[in-house]
Amino acid sequence: MASFGWKRKIGEKVSKATSQQFEAEAADDKDLGDDEDANWLLAAKRRKEILLEDCVRKSKELKDEGANLAENMRYREALVKWDEALQLTPEDATLYEMKSQVLMSLHEMFPAVHAAEMAVQRNPRSWDAWQTLGRAQLGLGEIALAIRSFQVSLHIFPMNPEVWKEDLSWARKLLVQQKATRTESVQALAKGEELVQESIPDYDFESDEIVAVCAAIAEKEKALSAAKTMVIVSASGTVETVTEQDNCPATPDETLFIRAR
């Protein structure tokens, strides 16, 4: 007869070798999962880098196309190209500086100043951006601001003869002329006020001559008011002018029926 024995639960006793193999496989699976996450991050980063490189490359192509158009005086088309390039690389200070130059050629000074200011904001160390800003400010008549911009440009690049001999020198001459013009205007205005004051005579209304003239006018008015005249038209059609005194009024004849004063 077979003896009855208690059966252990399946898996209660596992060999040491089997356990180590299972742990090794689990570790391999975990490393594989970590590697996949790392690879995904690296791939995303690489795609972003490629996209940025494509944007920079396309922006450079558009910039060069716009420069060629501007050299051929096709300014509007150049602005379109540069605006497209700015959509790809909005921090490119050179694009804004080039836009400002073209806008000045089109005599659009307000947009030119704005574009140059954008260039300076994105690259404060760009001497040519400060030079372009100064020229745009001169176009608006802001001579003092233009001189400051030229000075900043020279501070960045002191050996630039163009800014020193042409831009800054010209701006200073304009400032001297502006001050002289303002001085002449103020002097002319003051002289005009003096002439107006001199043209109005200062009458002495209490002088003997003025009193005598006023008395003569009063006597004449009194004489005229004392004598009254009237026009008489008779029945036969005869017109007669009669002077009537206040103290002896004349009574018209009964044949007179029309009286006019």
Side-chain angles (χ1 to χ4, degrees):
M1 176 183 279
S3 61
F4 176 81
W6 178 71
K7 296 181 179 180
R8 295 177 178 173
K9 295 180 180 180
I10 298 176
E12 181 178 352
K13 184 178 180 180
V14 182
S15 64
K16 185 177 181 180
T18 303
S19 177
Q20 290 177 351
Q21 182 180 0
F22 176 78
E23 291 176 357
E25 291 176 355
D28 292 339
D29 293 339
K30 183 178 181 181
D31 294 339
L32 182 59
D34 293 340
D35 291 340
E36 290 179 355
D37 293 339
N39 292 334
W40 181 84
L41 292 174
L42 290 174
K45 184 178 180 181
R46 181 56 183 164
R47 283 196 297 270
K48 184 177 181 181
E49 291 175 353
I50 294 174
L51 180 61
L52 290 175
E53 291 174 358
D54 291 341
C55 289
V56 172
R57 179 181 55 80
K58 182 61 176 177
S59 176
K60 186 178 183 306
E61 292 177 358
L62 292 169
K63 181 193 296 185
D64 294 339
E65 292 177 7
N68 292 329
L69 291 170
E71 289 177 358
N72 295 322
M73 302 180 66
R74 297 165 63 180
Y75 299 131
R76 296 293 180 185
E77 298 177 41
L79 289 174
V80 172
K81 295 293 183 181
W82 290 336
D83 287 335
E84 293 178 2
L86 284 171
Q87 295 295 325
L88 301 172
T89 55
E91 297 301 321
D92 191 344
T94 306
L95 287 170
Y96 284 105
E97 191 269 335
M98 295 167 70
K99 278 190 63 177
S100 180
Q101 292 187 48
V102 168
L103 288 169
M104 280 189 286
S105 299
L106 294 172
H107 303 288
E108 298 181 8
M109 293 305 171
F110 281 103
V113 170
H114 177 70
E117 289 176 346
M118 297 291 286
V120 168
Q121 290 176 6
R122 280 154 177 74
N123 187 8
R125 300 295 300 172
S126 174
W127 64 267
D128 49 353
W130 283 103
Q131 180 188 24
T132 302
L133 176 60
R135 291 178 175 178
Q137 289 168 337
L138 273 183
L140 283 181
E142 298 292 342
I143 301 176
L145 293 177
I147 290 176
R148 178 185 177 276
S149 297
F150 292 143
Q151 290 173 342
V152 175
S153 179
L154 281 174
H155 179 75
I156 298 171
F157 183 25
M159 302 305 294
N160 188 350
E162 184 181 13
V163 178
W164 180 263
K165 295 180 180 180
E166 297 180 11
D167 296 317
L168 187 58
S169 177
W170 173 246
R172 286 175 173 172
K173 289 180 181 179
L174 291 178
L175 184 62
V176 172
Q177 294 177 3
Q178 185 184 57
K179 291 181 178 179
T181 303
R182 289 178 179 176
T183 302
E184 292 176 358
S185 299
V186 172
Q187 292 176 353
L189 181 61
K191 185 176 180 181
E193 292 178 352
E194 292 177 358
L195 291 175
V196 171
Q197 293 177 357
E198 291 177 357
S199 63
I200 301 176
D202 187 11
Y203 291 108
D204 184 7
F205 291 98
E206 296 182 357
S207 63
D208 295 338
E209 291 83 359
I210 298 298
V211 173
V213 171
C214 293
I217 293 174
E219 289 295 331
K220 186 176 180 181
E221 290 291 334
K222 184 177 180 181
L224 291 175
S225 61
K228 296 181 181 179
T229 59
M230 54 184 175
V231 178
I232 305 298
V233 181
S234 64
S236 60
T238 304
V239 179
E240 182 181 0
T241 301
V242 180
T243 301
E244 179 183 3
Q245 300 293 333
D246 290 340
N247 51 3
C248 54
T251 303
D253 189 81
E254 293 180 356
T255 60
L256 305 179
F257 61 94
I258 298 177
R259 175 182 294 185
R261 291 186 180 275

